Amino acid sequence: MTANTMRALVHHEFGDPAVVLTVEEQPLPQPGPGQVRVRTLLSAIHNHDLWTVRGTYGFKPDLPALAGTEAVGVVDALGAGVDQLEVGQRVATGGTFGVWAEHFVADAAGLIRVPDGLPDESAAQLVSMPFSAISLLHSLDLHAGDWLIQNAANGAVGRMVAQLGKARGINVVGLVRRAAGVDELRAQGIERVIATDTDDWRATLAEITGGAPINVGVDSVGGTSAGDVLSALATNGTLVVFGAMASPSLQLASGDLIFNQATVKGFWGSVVSREMPAEIKGQLFQELMGRVLDGTLTLPVSATFDLDEIGAAVAASGEAGRIGKVLLRA
């Protein structure tokens, strides 16, 4: 490797990320007008990154392709016209394609300045999942005392929605598919969790809510689990489809839709972020960083791997019951 090259993860075909991703030498990117080059410190592995490598996500890059979308790093070169950032400044991004590399180029206006007190491990996963969670809550227009139910409560976004909702005074009930998931979340201070592998889970839900109406449900699983969430909603309730971890289709009872006059709508974080007014986005990011710094929102790390350990990193990311994000070290 020379001074004009860098190491990066690249794939020449779509497929299993553990198989098709390899470390290659690439030209060192140069920032254009309004851009900066960032030396990567840590980057996060998200499901949507892996789906993109498989060719099954809403975004399909031209091949050969780089990978990864979220990272924290240090600015090491400025493009023409950039005056809001400086060389040596730590920044984070959640929407820059190709960050599983030693360097990446990004639009300066889209980068988040990382405060000194925020560790790299938190900054590397601050934008994508946490911002999706807080923007989801923002979009639902829930108020203190309202109730929300979600499945995949032990997933990254589910855990963040529970923590952020609690901080905002929203009552969040989480559904998980196994009893062990209840214990895992309670160990993290998240109490309102129900395992749906028991016949009486709906009775438990009624005890927790005291019969209060649940107006919003969030589905990240699909299949019959989406129907479970819908069945718990009050009349005129809204089911928000956030993900499809188990099935690309929803199994919903027509009676729950018709007689409760329910609404079903989708939520795609990248589009919501792109269309959100800059002022609102800034306010939500400030809240996020404050919640992380005061410990209200926790961003644990499960494991950290080097770029050339991508196979082990992908395997670790897919482990059942994993708590915390898997990171790559450039």
Side-chain angles (χ1 to χ4, degrees), residues 36-48:
V36 301
R37 187 177 65 215
V38 179
R39 175 174 57 82
T40 312
L41 297 173
L42 292 171
S43 53
I45 295 180
H46 298 302
N47 286 335
H48 61 257

Side-chain angles (χ1 to χ4, degrees), residues 160-185:
M160 293 170 195
V161 166
Q163 292 180 330
L164 291 168
K166 181 179 180 180
R168 290 179 162 206
I170 299 167
N171 299 301
V172 179
V173 180
L175 303 180
V176 295
R177 287 176 286 182
R178 53 194 177 86
V182 175
D183 297 332
E184 291 168 2
L185 288 171

Side-chain angles (χ1 to χ4, degrees), residues 185-208:
L185 288 171
R186 285 179 177 166
Q188 300 174 61
I190 300 173
E191 296 291 336
R192 294 186 178 123
V193 188
I194 304 169
T196 56
D197 60 358
T198 60
D199 294 333
D200 61 348
W201 71 265
R202 287 183 173 82
T204 304
L205 175 62
E207 292 176 9
I208 290 175

